[in-house]
Amino acid sequence: TGQLQAARARNYRFMAAGELTLPDTGTVRVIIDHMVSSDELCLVKEKSGQPIMTPRGSDPVIRLAEAGKEFVFSKINNIWRVS
């Protein structure tokens, strides 16, 4: 799968299983393509291993499981958050 970087485009579409590493700052929009099977792992992490805040708590690695939904990762006050 390899490690993917979102630093340039700030938008990323998973077309298969993979791992996306967030850049140092900003906002990144991520979507899982409808062709990706629900059993494939689409992971997002912060590059230094810091946890990402989610509506259900925080975790250093976020598994995205819903195809077609846009997830917005924003770094606010030095903390990555996803909505």
Side-chain angles (χ1 to χ4, degrees):
T1 56
Q3 194 173 39
L4 307 168
Q5 299 291 330
R8 291 184 192 95
R10 303 290 178 166
N11 293 296
Y12 185 76
R13 179 180 289 265
F14 279 98
M15 298 300 292
E19 183 178 282
L20 177 69
T21 300
L22 296 169
D24 292 326
T25 61
T27 296
V28 177
R29 298 178 187 287
V30 181
I31 193 167
I32 300 173
D33 194 82
H34 291 283
M35 298 301 292
V36 177
S37 171
S38 63
D39 63 342
E40 292 188 63
L41 293 177
C42 298
L43 307 174
V44 178
K45 68 178 189 173
E46 195 268 344
K47 73 187 212 182
S48 66
Q50 295 296 318
I52 298 168
M53 298 297 295
T54 76
R56 296 181 181 168
S58 64
D59 203 306
V61 178
I62 305 299
R63 179 177 185 230
L64 304 180
E66 191 175 340
K69 178 182 177 186
E70 181 179 64
F71 296 89
V72 180
F73 292 82
S74 299
K75 193 163 191 179
I76 302 168
N77 297 327
N78 276 335
I79 298 171
W80 278 103
R81 304 176 66 82
V82 63
S83 58

